[in-house]
Amino acid sequence: MQTNWKIGSLFGIPLFLDPLWFVILGLATLNFGINYQELGSVIAWGAGVVMALLLFGSVLLHELGHSLVAKSQGIKVNSITLFLFGGVATIEEESKTPFKAFQVAIAGPLVSITLFFLLSLASEVFSDTSVLGVMLGDLGRINLVLALFNLIPGLPLDGGQVLKAALWKATGDRFQAVHLAARTGQILGYCAIAFGLLVDYLTGELVTGLWIALLGWFCIRNATSYDRVSVLQETLLKITARETMTRDFRVVDADRTIRSFADLYVLETNHSQVYFAESDGRYRGMVSIDDLRVIERSQWESKTLNDIVHPLTEIPSVTENTSIANVINKLESENLSRIVVLSPAGAVAGIIDKGDIIGVLVQKLQLRITPADIKRVKEEGKYPPGFNLGAIAKSAID
């Protein structure tokens, strides 16, 4: 369920606000307002509001840097969201090479560093005591801090993405690179939590210590998420269609009349059943219940299934050795509810639907999904909430 608020778009990229963004906006306004009290109460609070908004404008430009470089590589950017800890660009897939991944990762910090130099130069135009000069100088320094903080080498930070790209180049294994960079992010996150607690204990600065600890928790949570997605992608590439398919279909005589077929099968079973027609020991193709509607009832006695069968060469299919990542990609790209698996001899070996995919993942990864949930997926043809397998599989393949 989408709880973020859409506020517009930039370069075709939707922009969202997380409701918790207003919390940090208020805290930033309070912080700047207190710091600028020497400028006068009214001016101080006005400057505080402007600085808070400019701060998040800087964050937006930082994320836009990542997004535009990704778009230049042909990668879809789903959204940019401003939230409690800053901002995040939701990029649909991984770059094709380590160097391109590095370009996307470093773009954000480079934008922030550029803003630091530009704002610092602009502040020199005004006196040190002027409101605008103080604000420009402070905003420049904040952008420098934003860049340096994001360059800490651990996922999910930009420095972690840079580290991942370097490890990918060194090892030649993107998944191993993600695991190592995620582990680094987790370690740094635990260190941040410990440091935050230490700051609170030694200085009594509860807010500062708590904020550092929360940043650590954020790093651990997101680094773990990166690692889990990487494990899922590896699994999708290793599992084959043979391991996933079921034989939940019926084989009927292709020479049977349509009337006989309708009376014996269609009227007695649910319409989600899959049928294949065969004759002389060979599969002739798939029979679709919907095709019965295009044949006049008066012709049902004279026409056979051979007249409405869809040859195997014309229906969506994969081989037994096809990875499940490719199966998912085909299901999503062609908007299919199921797909046929063919044996090396070209016969029907099985069928796969989204419920079958979730079922095999439950076995391989011990996911917390109940049989009732799997049944619902098979009936509705939709993955469980939070399982964006289409994007995950596409990224794994690329």
Side-chain angles (χ1 to χ4, degrees):
M1 181 176 173
Q2 178 63 264
T3 58
N4 297 332
W5 300 335
K6 185 175 181 180
I7 58 173
S9 63
L10 278 174
F11 301 99
I13 305 169
L15 305 179
F16 291 92
L17 284 182
D18 185 288
L20 289 177
W21 176 81
F22 291 97
V23 174
I24 193 62
L25 178 67
L27 291 175
T29 300
L30 180 63
N31 179 70
F32 289 122
I34 292 174
N35 289 341
Y36 292 158
Q37 283 301 308
E38 61 187 33
L39 301 174
S41 182
V42 175
I43 295 177
W45 291 115
V49 173
V50 172
M51 280 294 290
L53 293 173
L54 288 175
L55 167 62
F56 280 97
S58 298
V59 172
L60 178 59
L61 290 174
H62 179 105
E63 297 303 329
L64 201 58
H66 295 303
S67 302
L68 293 181
V69 173
K71 282 174 69 71
S72 73
Q73 297 177 8
I75 299 173
K76 182 181 178 182
V77 181
N78 293 324
S79 65
I80 295 176
T81 303
L82 297 179
F83 68 117
L84 185 64
F85 293 104
V88 61
T90 305
I91 298 174
E92 187 165 280
E93 59 190 91
E94 180 64 76
S95 297
K96 302 295 189 294
T97 66
F99 181 64
K100 288 186 175 182
F102 168 77
Q103 290 176 318
V104 173
I106 203 64
L110 287 180
V111 168
S112 297
I113 291 172
T114 300
L115 287 173
F116 161 68
F117 283 114
L118 293 176
L119 291 167
S120 297
L121 288 173
S123 69
E124 296 296 324
V125 177
F126 303 92
S127 67
D128 294 338
T129 57
S130 69
V131 176
L132 195 54
V134 171
M135 291 174 64
L136 289 172
D138 286 348
L139 189 61
R141 286 186 288 273
I142 288 171
N143 272 279
L144 179 61
V145 171
L146 178 64
L148 294 177
F149 173 75
N150 272 282
L151 285 173
I152 294 174
L155 288 174
L157 301 174
D158 297 338
Q161 298 287 358
V162 170
L163 175 62
K164 180 195 72 177
L167 291 170
W168 181 6
K169 179 66 175 178
T171 64
D173 187 330
R174 174 163 61 93
F175 298 117
Q176 184 181 356
V178 173
H179 294 319
L180 292 173
R183 182 62 57 85
T184 303
Q186 291 170 331
I187 293 171
L188 289 172
Y190 283 115
C191 289
I193 291 175
F195 181 68
L197 296 175
L198 185 62
V199 167
D200 178 35
Y201 177 75
L202 294 178
T203 67
E205 294 285 343
L206 177 61
V207 174
T208 302
L210 180 60
W211 187 248
I212 294 172
L214 282 173
L215 285 173
W217 168 82
F218 170 76
C219 287
I220 293 170
R221 181 173 177 270
N222 284 274
T224 302
S225 178
Y226 268 101
D227 195 49
R228 286 175 177 170
V229 169
S230 183
V231 169
L232 178 56
Q233 289 179 325
E234 286 183 285
T235 303
L236 292 178
L237 289 173
K238 290 177 181 177
I239 299 175
T240 63
R242 184 188 297 109
E243 299 173 79
T244 312
M245 67 184 186
T246 66
R247 292 190 61 81
D248 188 18
F249 61 86
R250 284 192 174 187
V251 179
V252 295
D253 185 357
D255 295 322
R256 184 182 291 276
T257 65
I258 295 176
R259 168 65 66 189
S260 174
F261 171 71
D263 290 343
L264 290 178
Y265 296 103
V266 180
L267 299 179
E268 296 179 2
T269 60
N270 65 72
H271 285 198
S272 64
Q273 180 69 57
V274 180
Y275 298 93
F276 290 99
E278 63 88 23
S279 63
D280 300 325
R282 293 180 58 192
Y283 283 96
R284 300 302 173 182
M286 178 182 285
V287 178
S288 172
I289 303 301
D290 293 334
D291 288 341
L292 269 64
R293 300 188 181 97
V294 302
I295 304 295
E296 293 290 339
R297 292 273 181 134
S298 59
Q299 297 180 317
W300 280 22
E301 297 287 356
S302 58
K303 288 186 175 292
T304 67
L305 295 182
N306 279 310
D307 296 308
I308 61 171
V309 72
H310 296 270
L312 296 182
T313 54
E314 297 178 6
I315 61 177
S317 63
V318 295
T319 64
E320 291 180 295
N321 292 326
T322 303
S323 72
I324 286 303
N326 281 291
V327 171
I328 294 171
N329 195 40
K330 192 173 181 67
L331 287 172
E332 293 295 313
S333 62
E334 299 182 24
N335 195 27
L336 305 173
S337 59
R338 62 176 64 86
I339 199 163
V340 177
V341 182
L342 299 180
S343 71
V348 177
I351 57 173
I352 297 174
D353 61 26
K354 293 180 179 179
D356 299 324
I357 293 169
I358 294 297
V360 75
L361 290 177
V362 168
Q363 295 176 6
K364 299 289 185 179
L365 300 176
Q366 285 78 52
L367 301 178
R368 295 180 180 178
I369 298 177
T370 66
D373 290 330
I374 297 174
K375 182 180 179 182
R376 190 177 304 113
V377 172
K378 292 181 76 70
E379 293 173 349
E380 298 177 359
K382 297 179 181 178
Y383 295 118
F387 268 76
N388 190 8
L389 285 182
I392 293 173
K394 189 174 188 300
S395 183
I397 295 167
D398 293 337

